[in-house]
Amino acid sequence: MAIASSPDTTATTMANEQRDVDQSFSIRRRLSANGFKTASDFPSNDDGLEKVSTVNDDGADRNRVSEGDSDRIKSEAVLRNGERKIANGEIEAAIKFTYRPSSPAHRRIKESPLSSDAIFRQSHAGLFNLCIVVLVAVNSRLIIENLMKYGLLIRAGFWFSSKSLRDWPLLMCCLTLPIFPLAAFLVEKLAQRNYLSEPVVVIFHVIITTASVLYPVFVILRCDSAVLSGVSLMLFACIVWLKLVSYAHTNYDMRAIAKASKKEDASSISSEELPYDVSYKSLAYFMVAPTLCYQPSYPRTAYIRKGWVARQLVKLVIFTGVMGFIIEQYINPIVKNSQHPLKGNLLYAVERVLKLSVPTLYVWLCMFYCFFHLWLNILAELLQFGDREFYKDWWNARTFEEYWRTWNMPVHKWMVRHIYFPCLRNGIPKGVAALIAFLISAIFHELCIAVPCHIFKLWAFIGIMFQVPLGLLTNHLQMKSQNSMVGNMIFWFIFSVFGQPMCVLLYYHDLMNRKGISS
């Protein structure tokens, strides 16, 4: 016998049907608002169950879920599943009417992805990967062709030769350079105890810093050493000079602050921020730290990542080998088969420069990566040195001025701290201060190349000073064109395609002429 439905049951059924209709319209509105077009666009039931379980897990971490709350959550999960089933059916039905021939295919204004207005709003990771694949393929073919034509040109003498044993005076000079930081420390210690006046302290520091550069120059010029050994010693000597200047200048300023803090009219100066304490430990750490700017303390990391250091050392060895391979296998044969770029056929010189541009660019990029990224980071990790901004995005430089501010941050910070702003404080105009900074940089570039080669043609000096008018030119073009790519392309062309190969050819042929070898 059938049981008739009661009025309460009928009312409940009608209410449920009305709720399903309301939910259907609500789901339709939510779908159109969220952009769901197909059933696959809607989240699956598993996602909903995962969210429910996540709620339960999170709640268990805070408070134990009551049985009533658990039943409510299960009911909500069942309701969501029902809503999704209804929504899936509605989506499948809506597809029949959404993509009709009469529906508009163009709804708003859009730019092509490679247009000038939209190119920088797009991701070009795929094109970047394509460039890498093409670069690897092209260079692999060139390497195979070079090996088939010339064979392996690298010899054991590239890494070590009997001539290297004759460079022991340079090694001894390098080992005795720490005498100059020790002398600077003694001068500062005497100045701290008021045994020396300020003019005497300045004179002593001038003598010490000057001797730290002239001593290696004298040793290199007296010895017929290998060029690579001489360059290494001069680079080390220049780093010592820069550090000693920063050490003397910083201590001079801290002494002035300490004296001013004792006066009543200098109450605004806080001597606690720059404590004047001459410590040999701080000097020793500064001399080996990857920075050229002295300060009593530096930001430090908590621990040393030994595994990370090991991986970086492996990369350093690999990329050093890549540099050696490119130099011996490509650059040396091209240079030996060339003529002096300022003599003879101009068209032939241009061809040699262009042919040399690619391998010299590779070597320069490898050198940058090995020294500024790998070696300085390894040194910073071993010393727990925290500030590791050794370079910025110099590859995006729009002007030469921007490049020199971003590619070598330790030198840039030293120039700003000890040359540029002191000049401004003494009333020197900004342009003259920048010119003085470039002049000092040009002198040290010339010392690092001309002294080991025993050639004083000022090619490196002229090359660095030539950056000043180039900086003015690229700044003018940047202001006129309002296009960041113009200055960047000029920078890459002049610096990499023309500048570096020309310097290599000039110094090579001048070196061969000095040794009496016809080129």
Side-chain angles (χ1 to χ4, degrees):
M1 180 178 178
I3 300 176
S5 300
S6 63
D8 295 339
T9 305
T10 304
T12 302
T13 303
M14 294 177 64
N16 291 337
E17 292 177 353
Q18 182 64 32
R19 185 187 65 183
D20 293 340
V21 173
D22 294 339
Q23 288 177 350
S24 175
F25 284 107
S26 176
I27 291 171
R28 183 188 296 273
R29 286 195 299 270
R30 292 200 302 270
L31 289 175
S32 61
N34 294 332
F36 293 119
K37 298 299 182 182
T38 62
S40 60
D41 293 334
F42 202 82
S44 64
N45 295 339
D46 295 337
D47 297 335
L49 294 177
E50 287 180 358
K51 293 180 180 178
V52 173
S53 64
T54 303
V55 171
N56 289 337
D57 293 340
D58 296 338
D61 294 336
R62 294 189 297 267
N63 299 305
R64 184 175 298 278
V65 180
S66 62
E67 294 182 359
D69 293 338
S70 178
D71 294 338
R72 178 179 58 80
I73 293 173
K74 291 179 180 179
S75 301
E76 291 178 355
V78 173
L79 181 60
R80 291 192 188 96
N81 293 337
E83 291 178 353
R84 290 187 178 89
K85 291 179 180 179
I86 296 172
N88 291 339
E90 290 181 348
I91 292 172
E92 293 176 357
I95 290 175
K96 300 178 181 179
F97 301 96
T98 301
Y99 294 103
R100 297 182 65 88
S102 59
S103 61
H106 307 283
R107 299 176 182 273
R108 59 189 178 90
I109 299 174
K110 297 180 182 180
E111 295 286 345
S112 298
L114 295 180
S115 63
S116 59
D117 294 333
I119 187 171
F120 294 110
R121 297 197 298 267
Q122 307 292 329
S123 174
H124 302 92
L127 292 177
F128 180 75
N129 293 334
L130 174 63
C131 293
I132 293 178
V133 170
V134 172
L135 192 66
V136 171
V138 171
N139 285 277
S140 298
R141 183 193 67 81
L142 292 176
I143 291 173
I144 294 174
E145 180 182 356
N146 183 275
L147 292 175
M148 293 174 60
K149 186 175 181 180
Y150 300 106
L152 187 63
L153 300 178
I154 298 179
R155 301 292 182 263
F158 174 76
W159 304 100
F160 181 80
S161 65
S162 58
K163 187 177 181 180
S164 301
L165 299 176
R166 301 201 301 267
D167 293 340
W168 65 268
L170 276 66
L171 178 61
M172 296 303 298
C173 177
C174 184
L175 295 177
T176 54
L177 282 179
I179 294 176
F180 300 102
L182 180 60
F185 168 75
L186 294 177
V187 171
E188 286 298 325
K189 202 67 176 177
L190 293 174
Q192 183 187 22
R193 297 180 179 180
N194 296 322
Y195 292 155
L196 297 176
S197 61
E198 285 298 334
V200 175
V201 172
V202 173
I203 292 174
F204 273 123
H205 278 303
V206 169
I207 295 173
I208 292 170
T209 53
T210 305
S212 66
V213 173
L214 294 183
Y215 171 49
V217 170
F218 176 78
V219 173
I220 294 174
L221 294 179
R222 288 293 301 270
C223 302
D224 188 16
S225 60
V227 174
L228 183 60
S229 301
V231 170
S232 301
L233 177 58
M234 283 307 305
L235 285 174
F236 187 56
C238 291
I239 291 173
V240 171
W241 186 88
L242 294 170
K243 285 177 177 283
L244 290 180
V245 170
S246 179
Y247 180 71
H249 197 182
T250 303
N251 278 301
Y252 175 85
D253 190 50
M254 288 194 297
R255 277 197 306 274
I257 293 176
K259 292 177 181 178
S261 63
K262 297 178 182 179
K263 300 180 181 179
E264 296 179 356
D265 58 347
S267 58
S268 61
I269 300 177
S270 175
S271 60
E272 295 180 356
E273 297 180 359
L274 291 172
Y276 178 55
D277 182 22
V278 180
S279 170
Y280 183 76
K281 182 178 179 181
S282 62
L283 174 61
Y285 182 84
F286 167 62
M287 294 306 297
V288 296
T291 180
L292 299 175
C293 296
Y294 173 75
Q295 58 192 60
S297 62
Y298 297 92
R300 304 286 293 274
T301 56
Y303 55 89
I304 300 174
R305 298 171 293 176
K306 298 180 180 178
W308 183 88
V309 171
R311 291 193 297 271
Q312 304 309 306
L313 286 173
V314 172
K315 293 180 184 178
L316 183 62
V317 172
I318 292 175
F319 278 93
T320 303
V322 171
M323 281 195 296
F325 177 80
I326 296 175
I327 292 172
E328 288 291 299
Q329 198 72 25
Y330 287 93
I331 295 181
N332 281 351
I334 295 174
V335 172
K336 290 178 180 178
N337 295 327
S338 65
Q339 298 177 356
H340 198 285
L342 301 181
K343 302 176 183 179
N345 190 352
L346 177 61
L347 190 62
Y348 177 82
V350 171
E351 187 272 337
R352 289 289 96 179
V353 169
L354 293 177
K355 189 173 184 179
L356 195 60
S357 62
V358 175
T360 53
L361 176 61
Y362 288 166
V363 170
W364 187 80
L365 292 176
C366 288
M367 179 278 300
F368 169 82
Y369 183 72
C370 288
F371 183 76
F372 286 95
H373 184 74
L374 295 177
W375 172 245
L376 291 183
N377 274 287
I378 291 171
L379 190 60
E381 187 69 25
L382 294 176
L383 297 174
Q384 297 178 258
F385 188 83
D387 186 4
R388 303 182 183 182
E389 190 185 46
F390 305 121
Y391 57 91
K392 292 184 179 179
D393 57 337
W394 56 266
W395 45 87
N396 294 325
R398 295 167 294 180
T399 63
F400 277 86
E401 180 183 351
E402 185 177 350
Y403 163 75
W404 288 108
R405 290 200 309 263
T406 54
W407 97 278
N408 189 342
M409 292 307 296
V411 172
H412 173 69
K413 291 177 181 178
W414 186 93
M415 286 287 183
V416 169
R417 193 178 189 222
H418 300 292
I419 301 296
Y420 185 74
F421 281 113
C423 289
L424 296 183
R425 285 192 293 267
N426 285 277
I428 299 176
K430 290 184 178 180
V432 179
L435 185 63
I436 293 174
F438 271 100
L439 180 64
I440 294 175
S441 176
I443 292 173
F444 279 96
H445 276 81
E446 182 67 23
L447 286 176
C448 290
I449 301 177
V451 173
C453 295
H454 299 260
I455 298 171
F456 297 94
K457 294 292 186 68
L458 300 180
W459 299 126
F461 181 87
I462 295 172
I464 298 299
M465 294 306 297
F466 191 60
Q467 306 297 310
V468 176
L470 286 177
L472 297 176
L473 174 62
T474 51
N475 286 338
H476 177 74
L477 292 176
Q478 179 64 24
M479 294 175 60
K480 290 294 183 181
S481 65
Q482 298 296 326
N483 188 344
S484 60
M485 292 293 101
V486 174
N488 186 258
M489 287 187 289
I490 294 175
F491 154 72
W492 278 114
F493 176 79
I494 296 179
F495 186 80
S496 300
V497 177
F498 176 76
Q500 294 183 19
M502 179 64 72
C503 287
V504 170
L505 290 176
L506 288 172
Y507 275 104
Y508 173 80
H509 288 286
D510 288 339
L511 182 63
M512 293 297 103
N513 292 333
R514 185 185 69 86
K515 293 182 177 180
I517 302 175
S518 59
S519 58

